[in-house]
Amino acid sequence: MAASIFSTSQPAYAGGDDTQDNASVDASTSSNLNAPPAYDEAWSLVKKYALDQRYNGQDWDEAYTKYLGSISSTSTDEDRIMKATSNLVGSLGDKYSRILDRDSYARIQKFDLIGVGVTLMPDSLTKEIIVGAPPVQGSAAFQAGLKVGDAVVAVNGVDTVGRTAFDIIDQLSDDPNAGSVTFTVRSGDEYRDVTMKREFLEVKNPVTYRVSETRSDGTKVGYVRVSEFNSLVKPSLQAALKDLEEQNVNAYILDLRGNPGGAFQSAVEIAGLFMNDKLATDVVDGNGVDLKFRTTKDKMAIDTDDAVAIWVDGRSASASEVLSGALRDNCRAVVMGDRSFGKGLVQAVYGLKNGYGLVLTVAKYLTPGGTDINKVGIVPDVSKEDALPSSPGFVPFLGSDTSKVDFNDVRARMKSPMCSPIE
């Protein structure tokens, strides 16, 4: 299943939500750091940010020596260094935490919501927005010479003081087709404006939609399929919902079957297209820090009275479950289908200075109602047999037949006195 690309008190590749600490790890976190930089970086990042602060029952200082072996700090044997680093990370026993080679790290740019290959986050001391990790090699940020620790004091002329990286992503999403973005950057005492081309390489539009039927009772149904939560999902879904609203659609199917997830931030942002200023999810990291993510204000794309049904199956995971849980627990949607995959863990993606990447499980999330769905999944309100087409979702049209969905029941469930939105 795809990782939920994320950052809270951890840096993350996709640009961050509410980041608080510097992605560049100070070697002073341990007195025994004497390995090649990539190994030291990975060890330090795991020590500081891993959700499992017991490190799979290991003494993490002892693990440092065990997996380093005889490799010296001056070694140039990259294959050997990165194999040792992979073994170190693998000792956590977490199937989601791993080392990415340069090509794999570059490919994960499809989750880059800014589009220039840079991680933004607040400095742990000054709270200024800074470049938190080395830019992806070859990206616009890399070519512009941005460095770890550079302060980004404005984005497109808007001051960043008091804002999070999540706020900046939301600012840029107001003009999703903008081909460039300008950062005002401070390096030391020097200020400069850097205009960079936004690119979302080889990213396919994950949204397809159509008006599926018009019923005799006046219900006009819009079917929307989301295949992945990549960098295009929010603007694409926003445009689809706008078009369907203009066609007087008043009931929606949001088909997340087979959707393995993607960028955590996207799921939270998309929830804001359906509900205004509500708790979307509750995230807890390995240090016990509890962060509550709310949807945006005044960004809804559909009418508050429009009925919404979400289709899920056993392959709906991660960000799909974040969105489903957010809408269901806030009485904004009814979930239908099979029990979802059950991935309630969040991964951050860190850029290492040699161009490799580290994917690390850094947090778990709860639905707004406090449900931990990890290894459990989201249990549908309505079974597949009662509401979904008999054909699977990948069969065009037949797999998107909406005729079995009882939207009167959906509306009744959404407005039931037994269902109270989470404030």
Side-chain angles (χ1 to χ4, degrees), residues 286-324:
N287 296 306
V289 177
D290 187 343
L291 294 171
K292 298 183 185 300
F293 288 86
R294 300 186 68 84
T295 63
T296 52
K297 297 179 180 179
D298 304 321
K299 295 291 181 71
M300 289 180 57
I302 69 171
D303 190 273
T304 55
D305 291 327
D306 290 347
V308 180
I310 301 174
W311 287 355
V312 298
D313 63 12
R315 296 180 299 150
S316 305
S318 190
S320 290
E321 294 172 302
V322 173
L323 178 59
S324 298

PDB file of all heavy atoms in Angstrom, residues 286-324:
ATOM      1  N   GLY A 286       5.649   9.533  17.659  1.00  0.00           N
ATOM      2  CA  GLY A 286       6.342   8.653  18.590  1.00  0.00           C
ATOM      3  C   GLY A 286       6.704   9.301  19.905  1.00  0.00           C
ATOM      4  O   GLY A 286       7.025   8.610  20.880  1.00  0.00           O
ATOM      5  N   ASN A 287       6.676  10.622  19.952  1.00  0.00           N
ATOM      6  CA  ASN A 287       6.972  11.340  21.185  1.00  0.00           C
ATOM      7  C   ASN A 287       5.705  11.746  21.938  1.00  0.00           C
ATOM      8  O   ASN A 287       5.767  12.510  22.897  1.00  0.00           O
ATOM      9  CB  ASN A 287       7.807  12.586  20.877  1.00  0.00           C
ATOM     10  CG  ASN A 287       9.160  12.222  20.292  1.00  0.00           C
ATOM     11  OD1 ASN A 287       9.906  11.437  20.871  1.00  0.00           O
ATOM     12  ND2 ASN A 287       9.477  12.766  19.118  1.00  0.00           N
ATOM     13  N   GLY A 288       4.559  11.247  21.461  1.00  0.00           N
ATOM     14  CA  GLY A 288       3.301  11.530  22.124  1.00  0.00           C
ATOM     15  C   GLY A 288       2.671  12.852  21.746  1.00  0.00           C
ATOM     16  O   GLY A 288       1.653  13.247  22.324  1.00  0.00           O
ATOM     17  N   VAL A 289       3.259  13.547  20.773  1.00  0.00           N
ATOM     18  CA  VAL A 289       2.686  14.813  20.330  1.00  0.00           C
ATOM     19  C   VAL A 289       1.405  14.529  19.551  1.00  0.00           C
ATOM     20  O   VAL A 289       1.390  13.723  18.618  1.00  0.00           O
ATOM     21  CB  VAL A 289       3.683  15.592  19.446  1.00  0.00           C
ATOM     22  CG1 VAL A 289       3.040  16.872  18.920  1.00  0.00           C
ATOM     23  CG2 VAL A 289       4.942  15.921  20.240  1.00  0.00           C
ATOM     24  N   ASP A 290       0.336  15.192  19.938  1.00  0.00           N
ATOM     25  CA  ASP A 290      -0.993  14.978  19.357  1.00  0.00           C
ATOM     26  C   ASP A 290      -1.365  16.205  18.534  1.00  0.00           C
ATOM     27  O   ASP A 290      -1.487  17.305  19.064  1.00  0.00           O
ATOM     28  CB  ASP A 290      -2.002  14.755  20.486  1.00  0.00           C
ATOM     29  CG  ASP A 290      -3.381  14.354  19.988  1.00  0.00           C
ATOM     30  OD1 ASP A 290      -3.652  14.561  18.795  1.00  0.00           O
ATOM     31  OD2 ASP A 290      -4.187  13.863  20.794  1.00  0.00           O
ATOM     32  N   LEU A 291      -1.514  16.012  17.232  1.00  0.00           N
ATOM     33  CA  LEU A 291      -1.863  17.113  16.337  1.00  0.00           C
ATOM     34  C   LEU A 291      -3.209  16.851  15.696  1.00  0.00           C
ATOM     35  O   LEU A 291      -3.434  15.783  15.126  1.00  0.00           O
ATOM     36  CB  LEU A 291      -0.796  17.282  15.246  1.00  0.00           C
ATOM     37  CG  LEU A 291       0.581  17.737  15.731  1.00  0.00           C
ATOM     38  CD1 LEU A 291       1.585  17.647  14.599  1.00  0.00           C
ATOM     39  CD2 LEU A 291       0.516  19.154  16.268  1.00  0.00           C
ATOM     40  N   LYS A 292      -4.080  17.838  15.775  1.00  0.00           N
ATOM     41  CA  LYS A 292      -5.412  17.706  15.208  1.00  0.00           C
ATOM     42  C   LYS A 292      -5.476  18.507  13.915  1.00  0.00           C
ATOM     43  O   LYS A 292      -5.213  19.708  13.897  1.00  0.00           O
ATOM     44  CB  LYS A 292      -6.459  18.192  16.211  1.00  0.00           C
ATOM     45  CG  LYS A 292      -6.461  17.368  17.500  1.00  0.00           C
ATOM     46  CD  LYS A 292      -7.556  17.802  18.451  1.00  0.00           C
ATOM     47  CE  LYS A 292      -7.464  17.048  19.766  1.00  0.00           C
ATOM     48  NZ  LYS A 292      -7.586  15.595  19.606  1.00  0.00           N
ATOM     49  N   PHE A 293      -5.821  17.825  12.824  1.00  0.00           N
ATOM     50  CA  PHE A 293      -5.888  18.468  11.517  1.00  0.00           C
ATOM     51  C   PHE A 293      -7.337  18.762  11.157  1.00  0.00           C
ATOM     52  O   PHE A 293      -8.184  17.861  11.160  1.00  0.00           O
ATOM     53  CB  PHE A 293      -5.261  17.567  10.449  1.00  0.00           C
ATOM     54  CG  PHE A 293      -3.769  17.479  10.559  1.00  0.00           C
ATOM     55  CD1 PHE A 293      -3.182  16.564  11.405  1.00  0.00           C
ATOM     56  CD2 PHE A 293      -2.960  18.341   9.845  1.00  0.00           C
ATOM     57  CE1 PHE A 293      -1.810  16.483  11.521  1.00  0.00           C
ATOM     58  CE2 PHE A 293      -1.581  18.276   9.956  1.00  0.00           C
ATOM     59  CZ  PHE A 293      -1.010  17.347  10.792  1.00  0.00           C
ATOM     60  N   ARG A 294      -7.609  20.018  10.860  1.00  0.00           N
ATOM     61  CA  ARG A 294      -8.950  20.453  10.509  1.00  0.00           C
ATOM     62  C   ARG A 294      -9.027  20.777   9.026  1.00  0.00           C
ATOM     63  O   ARG A 294      -8.013  21.097   8.384  1.00  0.00           O
ATOM     64  CB  ARG A 294      -9.349  21.692  11.324  1.00  0.00           C
ATOM     65  CG  ARG A 294      -9.332  21.458  12.830  1.00  0.00           C
ATOM     66  CD  ARG A 294      -9.878  22.663  13.573  1.00  0.00           C
ATOM     67  NE  ARG A 294     -11.310  22.856  13.347  1.00  0.00           N
ATOM     68  CZ  ARG A 294     -12.260  22.230  14.020  1.00  0.00           C
ATOM     69  NH1 ARG A 294     -11.944  21.354  14.962  1.00  0.00           N
ATOM     70  NH2 ARG A 294     -13.525  22.465  13.783  1.00  0.00           N
ATOM     71  N   THR A 295     -10.214  20.711   8.488  1.00  0.00           N
ATOM     72  CA  THR A 295     -10.403  21.101   7.095  1.00  0.00           C
ATOM     73  C   THR A 295     -10.376  22.625   6.987  1.00  0.00           C
ATOM     74  O   THR A 295     -10.522  23.346   7.976  1.00  0.00           O
ATOM     75  CB  THR A 295     -11.737  20.576   6.552  1.00  0.00           C
ATOM     76  OG1 THR A 295     -12.816  21.166   7.298  1.00  0.00           O
ATOM     77  CG2 THR A 295     -11.819  19.061   6.679  1.00  0.00           C
ATOM     78  N   THR A 296     -10.172  23.088   5.774  1.00  0.00           N
ATOM     79  CA  THR A 296     -10.111  24.520   5.538  1.00  0.00           C
ATOM     80  C   THR A 296     -11.482  25.173   5.718  1.00  0.00           C
ATOM     81  O   THR A 296     -12.512  24.496   5.751  1.00  0.00           O
ATOM     82  CB  THR A 296      -9.620  24.792   4.111  1.00  0.00           C
ATOM     83  OG1 THR A 296     -10.428  24.027   3.193  1.00  0.00           O
ATOM     84  CG2 THR A 296      -8.165  24.405   3.949  1.00  0.00           C
ATOM     85  N   LYS A 297     -11.457  26.479   5.834  1.00  0.00           N
ATOM     86  CA  LYS A 297     -12.697  27.238   5.960  1.00  0.00           C
ATOM     87  C   LYS A 297     -13.106  27.784   4.601  1.00  0.00           C
ATOM     88  O   LYS A 297     -12.277  28.244   3.832  1.00  0.00           O
ATOM     89  CB  LYS A 297     -12.517  28.400   6.945  1.00  0.00           C
ATOM     90  CG  LYS A 297     -12.193  27.965   8.375  1.00  0.00           C
ATOM     91  CD  LYS A 297     -12.014  29.174   9.283  1.00  0.00           C
ATOM     92  CE  LYS A 297     -11.690  28.741  10.706  1.00  0.00           C
ATOM     93  NZ  LYS A 297     -11.498  29.901  11.609  1.00  0.00           N
ATOM     94  N   ASP A 298     -14.399  27.698   4.322  1.00  0.00           N
ATOM     95  CA  ASP A 298     -14.996  28.344   3.141  1.00  0.00           C
ATOM     96  C   ASP A 298     -14.381  27.871   1.829  1.00  0.00           C
ATOM     97  O   ASP A 298     -14.206  28.653   0.894  1.00  0.00           O
ATOM     98  CB  ASP A 298     -14.868  29.870   3.249  1.00  0.00           C
ATOM     99  CG  ASP A 298     -15.479  30.407   4.530  1.00  0.00           C
ATOM    100  OD1 ASP A 298     -16.545  29.896   4.930  1.00  0.00           O
ATOM    101  OD2 ASP A 298     -14.898  31.337   5.134  1.00  0.00           O
ATOM    102  N   LYS A 299     -14.059  26.572   1.735  1.00  0.00           N
ATOM    103  CA  LYS A 299     -13.528  26.020   0.488  1.00  0.00           C
ATOM    104  C   LYS A 299     -14.388  24.877  -0.037  1.00  0.00           C
ATOM    105  O   LYS A 299     -13.960  24.120  -0.897  1.00  0.00           O
ATOM    106  CB  LYS A 299     -12.091  25.524   0.712  1.00  0.00           C
ATOM    107  CG  LYS A 299     -11.082  26.608   1.055  1.00  0.00           C
ATOM    108  CD  LYS A 299     -10.814  27.520  -0.136  1.00  0.00           C
ATOM    109  CE  LYS A 299      -9.781  28.596   0.204  1.00  0.00           C
ATOM    110  NZ  LYS A 299      -8.434  28.060   0.361  1.00  0.00           N
ATOM    111  N   MET A 300     -15.610  24.761   0.463  1.00  0.00           N
ATOM    112  CA  MET A 300     -16.466  23.655   0.045  1.00  0.00           C
ATOM    113  C   MET A 300     -16.819  23.759  -1.433  1.00  0.00           C
ATOM    114  O   MET A 300     -17.070  24.843  -1.943  1.00  0.00           O
ATOM    115  CB  MET A 300     -17.730  23.609   0.901  1.00  0.00           C
ATOM    116  CG  MET A 300     -17.491  23.155   2.323  1.00  0.00           C
ATOM    117  SD  MET A 300     -19.016  23.105   3.292  1.00  0.00           S
ATOM    118  CE  MET A 300     -20.014  21.983   2.312  1.00  0.00           C
ATOM    119  N   ALA A 301     -16.882  22.584  -2.082  1.00  0.00           N
ATOM    120  CA  ALA A 301     -17.152  22.552  -3.519  1.00  0.00           C
ATOM    121  C   ALA A 301     -18.562  22.076  -3.842  1.00  0.00           C
ATOM    122  O   ALA A 301     -19.021  22.222  -4.973  1.00  0.00           O
ATOM    123  CB  ALA A 301     -16.141  21.650  -4.220  1.00  0.00           C
ATOM    124  N   ILE A 302     -19.268  21.491  -2.859  1.00  0.00           N
ATOM    125  CA  ILE A 302     -20.632  21.022  -3.088  1.00  0.00           C
ATOM    126  C   ILE A 302     -21.543  21.577  -2.013  1.00  0.00           C
ATOM    127  O   ILE A 302     -21.098  22.066  -0.974  1.00  0.00           O
ATOM    128  CB  ILE A 302     -20.714  19.478  -3.126  1.00  0.00           C
ATOM    129  CG1 ILE A 302     -20.454  18.881  -1.736  1.00  0.00           C
ATOM    130  CG2 ILE A 302     -19.736  18.904  -4.140  1.00  0.00           C
ATOM    131  CD1 ILE A 302     -20.722  17.391  -1.654  1.00  0.00           C
ATOM    132  N   ASP A 303     -22.835  21.497  -2.267  1.00  0.00           N
ATOM    133  CA  ASP A 303     -23.826  22.001  -1.331  1.00  0.00           C
ATOM    134  C   ASP A 303     -23.848  21.147  -0.063  1.00  0.00           C
ATOM    135  O   ASP A 303     -23.660  19.929  -0.117  1.00  0.00           O
ATOM    136  CB  ASP A 303     -25.208  21.992  -1.989  1.00  0.00           C
ATOM    137  CG  ASP A 303     -26.245  22.735  -1.161  1.00  0.00           C
ATOM    138  OD1 ASP A 303     -26.843  22.105  -0.274  1.00  0.00           O
ATOM    139  OD2 ASP A 303     -26.438  23.945  -1.391  1.00  0.00           O
ATOM    140  N   THR A 304     -24.096  21.779   1.064  1.00  0.00           N
ATOM    141  CA  THR A 304     -24.086  21.054   2.341  1.00  0.00           C
ATOM    142  C   THR A 304     -25.177  19.995   2.421  1.00  0.00           C
ATOM    143  O   THR A 304     -25.069  19.064   3.222  1.00  0.00           O
ATOM    144  CB  THR A 304     -24.255  22.028   3.513  1.00  0.00           C
ATOM    145  OG1 THR A 304     -25.442  22.811   3.318  1.00  0.00           O
ATOM    146  CG2 THR A 304     -23.054  22.953   3.632  1.00  0.00           C
ATOM    147  N   ASP A 305     -26.225  20.119   1.616  1.00  0.00           N
ATOM    148  CA  ASP A 305     -27.314  19.153   1.652  1.00  0.00           C
ATOM    149  C   ASP A 305     -27.134  18.013   0.660  1.00  0.00           C
ATOM    150  O   ASP A 305     -27.952  17.078   0.633  1.00  0.00           O
ATOM    151  CB  ASP A 305     -28.645  19.854   1.376  1.00  0.00           C
ATOM    152  CG  ASP A 305     -29.054  20.790   2.508  1.00  0.00           C
ATOM    153  OD1 ASP A 305     -28.736  20.480   3.668  1.00  0.00           O
ATOM    154  OD2 ASP A 305     -29.674  21.834   2.218  1.00  0.00           O
ATOM    155  N   ASP A 306     -26.101  18.058  -0.165  1.00  0.00           N
ATOM    156  CA  ASP A 306     -25.876  16.983  -1.139  1.00  0.00           C
ATOM    157  C   ASP A 306     -25.489  15.699  -0.416  1.00  0.00           C
ATOM    158  O   ASP A 306     -24.602  15.695   0.445  1.00  0.00           O
ATOM    159  CB  ASP A 306     -24.768  17.355  -2.120  1.00  0.00           C
ATOM    160  CG  ASP A 306     -25.182  18.463  -3.083  1.00  0.00           C
ATOM    161  OD1 ASP A 306     -26.389  18.766  -3.150  1.00  0.00           O
ATOM    162  OD2 ASP A 306     -24.303  19.004  -3.773  1.00  0.00           O
ATOM    163  N   ALA A 307     -26.162  14.610  -0.765  1.00  0.00           N
ATOM    164  CA  ALA A 307     -25.849  13.317  -0.171  1.00  0.00           C
ATOM    165  C   ALA A 307     -24.544  12.774  -0.748  1.00  0.00           C
ATOM    166  O   ALA A 307     -24.277  12.917  -1.941  1.00  0.00           O
ATOM    167  CB  ALA A 307     -26.987  12.340  -0.423  1.00  0.00           C
ATOM    168  N   VAL A 308     -23.743  12.133   0.108  1.00  0.00           N
ATOM    169  CA  VAL A 308     -22.461  11.585  -0.334  1.00  0.00           C
ATOM    170  C   VAL A 308     -22.328  10.147   0.169  1.00  0.00           C
ATOM    171  O   VAL A 308     -22.495   9.875   1.363  1.00  0.00           O
ATOM    172  CB  VAL A 308     -21.271  12.414   0.199  1.00  0.00           C
ATOM    173  CG1 VAL A 308     -19.945  11.811  -0.284  1.00  0.00           C
ATOM    174  CG2 VAL A 308     -21.390  13.867  -0.229  1.00  0.00           C
ATOM    175  N   ALA A 309     -22.032   9.240  -0.750  1.00  0.00           N
ATOM    176  CA  ALA A 309     -21.719   7.856  -0.399  1.00  0.00           C
ATOM    177  C   ALA A 309     -20.301   7.560  -0.869  1.00  0.00           C
ATOM    178  O   ALA A 309     -19.918   7.942  -1.979  1.00  0.00           O
ATOM    179  CB  ALA A 309     -22.706   6.899  -1.048  1.00  0.00           C
ATOM    180  N   ILE A 310     -19.520   6.897  -0.015  1.00  0.00           N
ATOM    181  CA  ILE A 310     -18.149   6.536  -0.352  1.00  0.00           C
ATOM    182  C   ILE A 310     -18.060   5.030  -0.534  1.00  0.00           C
ATOM    183  O   ILE A 310     -18.503   4.264   0.328  1.00  0.00           O
ATOM    184  CB  ILE A 310     -17.172   6.979   0.762  1.00  0.00           C
ATOM    185  CG1 ILE A 310     -17.242   8.493   0.969  1.00  0.00           C
ATOM    186  CG2 ILE A 310     -15.746   6.556   0.428  1.00  0.00           C
ATOM    187  CD1 ILE A 310     -16.409   8.984   2.136  1.00  0.00           C
ATOM    188  N   TRP A 311     -17.495   4.603  -1.661  1.00  0.00           N
ATOM    189  CA  TRP A 311     -17.298   3.184  -1.916  1.00  0.00           C
ATOM    190  C   TRP A 311     -15.862   2.804  -1.576  1.00  0.00           C
ATOM    191  O   TRP A 311     -14.909   3.433  -2.059  1.00  0.00           O
ATOM    192  CB  TRP A 311     -17.569   2.863  -3.385  1.00  0.00           C
ATOM    193  CG  TRP A 311     -19.022   2.899  -3.754  1.00  0.00           C
ATOM    194  CD1 TRP A 311     -20.090   3.084  -2.940  1.00  0.00           C
ATOM    195  CD2 TRP A 311     -19.557   2.732  -5.078  1.00  0.00           C
ATOM    196  NE1 TRP A 311     -21.263   3.050  -3.659  1.00  0.00           N
ATOM    197  CE2 TRP A 311     -20.972   2.832  -4.974  1.00  0.00           C
ATOM    198  CE3 TRP A 311     -19.001   2.512  -6.333  1.00  0.00           C
ATOM    199  CZ2 TRP A 311     -21.817   2.714  -6.076  1.00  0.00           C
ATOM    200  CZ3 TRP A 311     -19.833   2.401  -7.441  1.00  0.00           C
ATOM    201  CH2 TRP A 311     -21.226   2.489  -7.317  1.00  0.00           C
ATOM    202  N   VAL A 312     -15.681   1.778  -0.761  1.00  0.00           N
ATOM    203  CA  VAL A 312     -14.354   1.288  -0.401  1.00  0.00           C
ATOM    204  C   VAL A 312     -14.312  -0.227  -0.544  1.00  0.00           C
ATOM    205  O   VAL A 312     -15.346  -0.905  -0.593  1.00  0.00           O
ATOM    206  CB  VAL A 312     -13.967   1.677   1.043  1.00  0.00           C
ATOM    207  CG1 VAL A 312     -13.917   3.185   1.208  1.00  0.00           C
ATOM    208  CG2 VAL A 312     -14.914   1.045   2.063  1.00  0.00           C
ATOM    209  N   ASP A 313     -13.077  -0.754  -0.601  1.00  0.00           N
ATOM    210  CA  ASP A 313     -12.883  -2.197  -0.584  1.00  0.00           C
ATOM    211  C   ASP A 313     -11.592  -2.502   0.163  1.00  0.00           C
ATOM    212  O   ASP A 313     -10.990  -1.615   0.776  1.00  0.00           O
ATOM    213  CB  ASP A 313     -12.900  -2.797  -2.000  1.00  0.00           C
ATOM    214  CG  ASP A 313     -11.763  -2.294  -2.882  1.00  0.00           C
ATOM    215  OD1 ASP A 313     -10.820  -1.655  -2.358  1.00  0.00           O
ATOM    216  OD2 ASP A 313     -11.789  -2.549  -4.105  1.00  0.00           O
ATOM    217  N   GLY A 314     -11.158  -3.737   0.109  1.00  0.00           N
ATOM    218  CA  GLY A 314      -9.980  -4.147   0.851  1.00  0.00           C
ATOM    219  C   GLY A 314      -8.682  -3.556   0.356  1.00  0.00           C
ATOM    220  O   GLY A 314      -7.639  -3.703   1.016  1.00  0.00           O
ATOM    221  N   ARG A 315      -8.712  -2.888  -0.777  1.00  0.00           N
ATOM    222  CA  ARG A 315      -7.510  -2.222  -1.300  1.00  0.00           C
ATOM    223  C   ARG A 315      -7.557  -0.710  -1.091  1.00  0.00           C
ATOM    224  O   ARG A 315      -6.643  -0.006  -1.522  1.00  0.00           O
ATOM    225  CB  ARG A 315      -7.332  -2.549  -2.784  1.00  0.00           C
ATOM    226  CG  ARG A 315      -7.085  -4.033  -3.068  1.00  0.00           C
ATOM    227  CD  ARG A 315      -6.909  -4.293  -4.537  1.00  0.00           C
ATOM    228  NE  ARG A 315      -8.107  -3.915  -5.284  1.00  0.00           N
ATOM    229  CZ  ARG A 315      -8.109  -3.489  -6.551  1.00  0.00           C
ATOM    230  NH1 ARG A 315      -6.975  -3.352  -7.196  1.00  0.00           N
ATOM    231  NH2 ARG A 315      -9.238  -3.188  -7.141  1.00  0.00           N
ATOM    232  N   SER A 316      -8.588  -0.225  -0.455  1.00  0.00           N
ATOM    233  CA  SER A 316      -8.666   1.208  -0.112  1.00  0.00           C
ATOM    234  C   SER A 316      -7.865   1.416   1.165  1.00  0.00           C
ATOM    235  O   SER A 316      -8.213   0.879   2.213  1.00  0.00           O
ATOM    236  CB  SER A 316     -10.119   1.630   0.113  1.00  0.00           C
ATOM    237  OG  SER A 316     -10.929   1.313  -0.996  1.00  0.00           O
ATOM    238  N   ALA A 317      -6.791   2.186   1.074  1.00  0.00           N
ATOM    239  CA  ALA A 317      -5.874   2.258   2.212  1.00  0.00           C
ATOM    240  C   ALA A 317      -5.380   3.674   2.446  1.00  0.00           C
ATOM    241  O   ALA A 317      -5.518   4.554   1.592  1.00  0.00           O
ATOM    242  CB  ALA A 317      -4.678   1.325   1.982  1.00  0.00           C
ATOM    243  N   SER A 318      -4.803   3.856   3.634  1.00  0.00           N
ATOM    244  CA  SER A 318      -4.004   5.039   3.930  1.00  0.00           C
ATOM    245  C   SER A 318      -4.817   6.318   3.756  1.00  0.00           C
ATOM    246  O   SER A 318      -5.787   6.544   4.466  1.00  0.00           O
ATOM    247  CB  SER A 318      -2.757   5.020   3.032  1.00  0.00           C
ATOM    248  OG  SER A 318      -1.818   5.979   3.386  1.00  0.00           O
ATOM    249  N   ALA A 319      -4.422   7.191   2.823  1.00  0.00           N
ATOM    250  CA  ALA A 319      -5.128   8.457   2.632  1.00  0.00           C
ATOM    251  C   ALA A 319      -6.599   8.236   2.286  1.00  0.00           C
ATOM    252  O   ALA A 319      -7.456   9.064   2.614  1.00  0.00           O
ATOM    253  CB  ALA A 319      -4.439   9.288   1.546  1.00  0.00           C
ATOM    254  N   SER A 320      -6.918   7.128   1.606  1.00  0.00           N
ATOM    255  CA  SER A 320      -8.331   6.804   1.338  1.00  0.00           C
ATOM    256  C   SER A 320      -9.097   6.627   2.635  1.00  0.00           C
ATOM    257  O   SER A 320     -10.266   7.037   2.762  1.00  0.00           O
ATOM    258  CB  SER A 320      -8.439   5.519   0.503  1.00  0.00           C
ATOM    259  OG  SER A 320      -7.983   5.705  -0.806  1.00  0.00           O
ATOM    260  N   GLU A 321      -8.443   6.025   3.620  1.00  0.00           N
ATOM    261  CA  GLU A 321      -9.096   5.795   4.911  1.00  0.00           C
ATOM    262  C   GLU A 321      -9.149   7.068   5.735  1.00  0.00           C
ATOM    263  O   GLU A 321     -10.091   7.276   6.509  1.00  0.00           O
ATOM    264  CB  GLU A 321      -8.361   4.678   5.648  1.00  0.00           C
ATOM    265  CG  GLU A 321      -8.491   3.342   4.927  1.00  0.00           C
ATOM    266  CD  GLU A 321      -7.615   2.250   5.508  1.00  0.00           C
ATOM    267  OE1 GLU A 321      -6.379   2.439   5.548  1.00  0.00           O
ATOM    268  OE2 GLU A 321      -8.159   1.201   5.909  1.00  0.00           O
ATOM    269  N   VAL A 322      -8.146   7.941   5.584  1.00  0.00           N
ATOM    270  CA  VAL A 322      -8.201   9.244   6.248  1.00  0.00           C
ATOM    271  C   VAL A 322      -9.441  10.006   5.785  1.00  0.00           C
ATOM    272  O   VAL A 322     -10.216  10.528   6.592  1.00  0.00           O
ATOM    273  CB  VAL A 322      -6.931  10.076   5.951  1.00  0.00           C
ATOM    274  CG1 VAL A 322      -7.085  11.502   6.499  1.00  0.00           C
ATOM    275  CG2 VAL A 322      -5.702   9.420   6.560  1.00  0.00           C
ATOM    276  N   LEU A 323      -9.639  10.057   4.468  1.00  0.00           N
ATOM    277  CA  LEU A 323     -10.770  10.793   3.913  1.00  0.00           C
ATOM    278  C   LEU A 323     -12.099  10.135   4.296  1.00  0.00           C
ATOM    279  O   LEU A 323     -13.041  10.827   4.707  1.00  0.00           O
ATOM    280  CB  LEU A 323     -10.644  10.872   2.389  1.00  0.00           C
ATOM    281  CG  LEU A 323     -11.781  11.581   1.653  1.00  0.00           C
ATOM    282  CD1 LEU A 323     -11.924  13.024   2.127  1.00  0.00           C
ATOM    283  CD2 LEU A 323     -11.556  11.539   0.140  1.00  0.00           C
ATOM    284  N   SER A 324     -12.182   8.825   4.176  1.00  0.00           N
ATOM    285  CA  SER A 324     -13.428   8.125   4.499  1.00  0.00           C
ATOM    286  C   SER A 324     -13.796   8.319   5.962  1.00  0.00           C
ATOM    287  O   SER A 324     -14.955   8.591   6.300  1.00  0.00           O
ATOM    288  CB  SER A 324     -13.281   6.630   4.198  1.00  0.00           C
ATOM    289  OG  SER A 324     -13.027   6.407   2.829  1.00  0.00           O
TER     290      SER A 324
END
